[in-house]
């Protein structure tokens, strides 16, 4: 692997113009394909194989007039104090509101609460449902304005009016500025790390180019593969972060090789051969983690994972080809400005060499060296402190409550939350999450009447509406209203009980009875995620374990890498629960309403964070492995790894945290949750697990850390990630300069 990539790096450096033009051609070609491609399809949510999805598809087929996949706006109306909606004046106001809703753009129909019986017992509150001909994501701005105007007119008339439903525009949707914040912070970190604007610009340029190619490819293939406009969200976020990291690692290694006296082309080849090998395997772990989302069997997550994995693959290819090509255009200017002139200088005289040796002897070891030295001297204390600290942070994760975003968890000042509360007060909590029961039989109306009568006797059911048959009479639908709210555990138990009873009734009547509705859909969604968690974790960790065994030729190194990841993710989940579920530091993060954690977050975190955690593991430990293979003692190998890789891994982690932290500033609480969870997980994993626990474990294990059974050693192919074969490659002679001699005097031989 290292030898092949060494040749790739040298070729890209030498043919830099051609390589750059080829990548530019790819960008232009994919961009042109994206600009001429048909519009991407609308986002659709489906869960194949679940009862709620099967019933939903049946309703869409048998009752097309219901527009079950169309957006809805549920408008709740309350009379002024001391009045009732049945009063002639107030009734006229409500009828005017219904008329305005029916005439709004994209609206198919608007129900009249006086005709549908949607009036509270005290006569003060009612609700009307406006059904749209398009899905929520296709509701136009004109339609939103029409709805807002109808509500405003009713309020002006003296009614208390609030609206919920997916047709209502959500305030505080993602603003799109998070990526810009991440790029800005990344640029600052890169300049401070490299001390060179050119060196800092290369990772940014290549990362942006990678996500541009990935995003354009997703758009170009959107209509063909069914990739919606939101499929690229994860791809852009992950692609930007890993693209910067991969280029950063290769540029840093090139500077190190150049400082050791390598000829420029050889330095580029060795940077790609060693750091590039780590990039390839780190990228593979991220790709495995993202592509593994397919096992969840939710098409939306599958497409997002595969699109992000493809973008990561593009980032890897750019890192090992375009980065060395760009280094060829500025081989010396990537060095700090104060050091550049030393590479153009004449050979040192003996007197100058003695002065250079003295300056090198006085130079202090860098921060990575000092930290690693501290850890290897006190490994047990560092290990215990890190494990106990993360364990304490992880304690709140034991109280994790999962849920899906709903209007009941929105901020109290939003119209959706006000409408939710008004319905709960006047009609009961279950009106915010009614269930729909479909009945298929030869005489569906009769069978549905029997089913409705039996289900109405079930404890926890508030009401069951009369059945509505389709035109053919073989399918009927009825609505069941629970007594409890959609997010309550009692409602989940009720859905399970109803499905059990419905199964028995269907067997007796020869009918097929299915339960769906938003509440049932959410329950099935959470159950699908729970069932997929262990298979997904086993697949991702198992494949990554095999990859890491190939990289490090050790069993203990991959094992501790996986255990460290579980520790950091547990701590991150604990922090998420404390902040978003319990409300700790809620004012600091702008959280108006603490509530359950989004159901998709744990599996999403596992996929993303595992891949990124293995990035840092590979980046840091490959340098240790390289030093160990070249003859260093175990403790010395740890220190060498941190001398060269500590600063780079630290900078990469800060960049990653910055990219994710930008999303915490968004108004939408679920975007905040994703940004916070990923940022805190990377922070824990990079700075506690990889930078503290990993060197401590290496110091305690010594040579046994690299143990591999002989029979397995013979079976495994030698990937040569550490570049052992490159040490036998002849080095092109270069004139010794002041800078290179100082560097050689400072770095001990390996």
């Amino acid at each position: 692997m290292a030898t092949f990539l060494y040749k790739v790096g040298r070729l890209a450096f030498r043919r830099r113009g051609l390589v750059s033009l080829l990548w530019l051609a790819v960008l232009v070609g994919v961009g042109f394909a994206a600009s001429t491609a048909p519009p991407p399809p609308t986002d659709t949510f489906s869960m194949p194989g679940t009862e709620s999805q099967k019933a939903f598809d049946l309703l869409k087929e048998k009752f097309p007039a219901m527009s079950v996949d169309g957006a809805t706006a549920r408008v709740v109306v309350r009379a002024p104090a001391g009045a009732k909606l049945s009063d002639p004046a107030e009734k006229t106001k409500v009828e005017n509101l219904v008329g305005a809703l029916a005439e709004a753009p994209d609206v198919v129909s608007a129900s009249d609460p006086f005709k549908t019986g949607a009036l509270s017992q005290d006569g003060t509150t009612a609700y009307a449902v406006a059904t749209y001909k398009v899905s929520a994501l296709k509701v136009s701005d004109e339609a939103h304005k029409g709805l807002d105007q109808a509500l405003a007119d009713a309020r002006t008339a003296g009614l208390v009016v609030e609206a919920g439903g997916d047709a209502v525009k959500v305030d505080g949707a993602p603003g799109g500025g998070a990526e810009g914040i991440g790029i800005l912070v990344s640029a600052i970190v890169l300049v401070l790390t490299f001390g060179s604007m050119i060196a800092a610009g290369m990772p940014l340029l290549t990362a942006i180019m990678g996500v541009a190619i990935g995003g354009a490819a997703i758009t170009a293939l959107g209509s063909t593969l069914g990739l919606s406009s939101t499929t690229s969200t994860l791809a852009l976020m992950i692609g930007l972060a890993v693209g910067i990291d991969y280029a950063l690692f290769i540029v840093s290694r090139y500077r190190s090789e150049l400082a050791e006296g390598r000829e420029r082309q050889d330095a580029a080849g060795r940077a790609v051969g060693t750091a590039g090998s780590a990039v390839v395997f780190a990228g593979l772990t991220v790709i495995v983690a993202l592509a593994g989302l397919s096992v969840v069997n939710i098409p939306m997550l599958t497409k997002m994972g595969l699109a992000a994995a493809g973008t990561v693959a593009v980032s890897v290819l750019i890192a090992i080809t375009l980065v060395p090509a760009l280094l060829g255009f500025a081989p010396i200017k990537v060095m700090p400005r104060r050091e550049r002139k030393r590479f153009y200088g004449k050979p040192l005289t003996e007197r100058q060499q003695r002065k250079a040796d003295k300056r090198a002897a006085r130079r202090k070891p860098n921060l990575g060296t000092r930290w690693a030295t501290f850890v290897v001297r006190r490994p047990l204390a560092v290990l215990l402190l890190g494990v106990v600290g993360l364990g304490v942070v992880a304690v709140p994760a034991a109280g994790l409550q999962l849920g899906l975003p709903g209007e009941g968890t929105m901020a109290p000042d939003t119209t959706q939350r006000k409408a939710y509360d008004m319905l709960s007060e006047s009609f009961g909590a279950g009106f915010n999450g009614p269930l729909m029961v479909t009945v298929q039989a030869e005489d569906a109306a009769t069978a549905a009447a029997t089913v409705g009568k039996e289900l109405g006797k079930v404890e926890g059911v508030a009401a069951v509406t009369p059945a509505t048959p389709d035109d053919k009479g073989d399918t009927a639908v009825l609505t069941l209203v629970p007594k409890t709210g959609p997010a309550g555990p009692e409602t989940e138990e009720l859905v399970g009980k109803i499905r059990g009873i419905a199964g028995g009734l269907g067997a007796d009547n020869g009918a097929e009875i299915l339960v769906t509705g938003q509440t049932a859909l959410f329950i099935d969604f959470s159950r699908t995620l729970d069932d997929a968690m262990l298979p997904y974790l086993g697949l991702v960790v198992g494949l990554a374990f095999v990859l890491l065994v190939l990289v490090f030729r050790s069993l203990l190194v991959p094992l501790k890498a996986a255990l460290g990841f579980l520790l950091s993710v547990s701590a991150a989940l604990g922090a998420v629960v404390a902040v978003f579920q319990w409300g700790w530091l809620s004012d600091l993060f702008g959280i108006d309403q603490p509530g359950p954690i989004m159901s998709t977050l744990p599996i999403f975190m596992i996929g993303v964070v595992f891949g990124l955690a293995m990035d840092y593991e590979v980046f840091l430990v490959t340098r240790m492995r390289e030093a160990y293979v070249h003859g260093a003692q175990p403790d010395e190998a740890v220190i060498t790894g941190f001398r060269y890789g500590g600063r780079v891994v630290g900078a990469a982690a800060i960049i990653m945290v910055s990219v994710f932290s930008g999303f915490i500033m968004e108004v939408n609480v679920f975007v905040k949750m994703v940004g916070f969870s990923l940022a805190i997980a990377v922070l824990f994993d990079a700075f506690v697990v990889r930078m503290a626990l990993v060197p401590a474990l290496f110091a305690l294990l010594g040579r046994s850390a690299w143990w591999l059974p002989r029979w397995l050693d013979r079976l495994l192919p030698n990937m040569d990630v550490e570049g052992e074969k490159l040490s036998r490659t002849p080095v092109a002679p270069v004139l010794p300069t002041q800078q290179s001699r100082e560097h050689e005097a400072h770095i001990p031989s390996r």
Side-chain angles (χ1 to χ4, degrees), residues 272-331:
V272 177
T274 52
S277 297
V279 165
V280 169
F281 280 95
L284 283 175
T285 59
V286 180
I287 290 171
V288 166
L290 293 172
L293 288 171
S294 304
V295 304
V296 182
N297 197 30
I298 296 178
M300 180 185 67
L301 289 180
T302 299
K303 293 174 183 178
M304 290 183 69
L306 293 177
T311 304
V312 171
V314 172
S315 298
V316 171
L317 292 175
I318 285 180
I320 62 177
T321 57
L322 183 58
V323 171
L326 294 180
L327 288 172
F329 288 110

Side-chain angles (χ1 to χ4, degrees), residues 62 65 72 145 193 197 416 598 639 688 700 702:
K62 297 291 186 177
T72 59
K145 291 178 181 178
T193 301
M197 293 294 292
Q416 292 94 332
M598 189 165 50
I639 296 172
V688 180
L700 290 172

Side-chain angles (χ1 to χ4, degrees), residues 478-501:
L478 49 87
T479 302
L480 184 150
V481 180
K483 292 182 179 179
T484 53
E490 301 88 353
T491 306
E492 183 175 353
E493 294 177 3
L494 177 63
V495 170
K497 186 187 299 184
I498 289 174
R499 283 176 169 169
I501 295 173

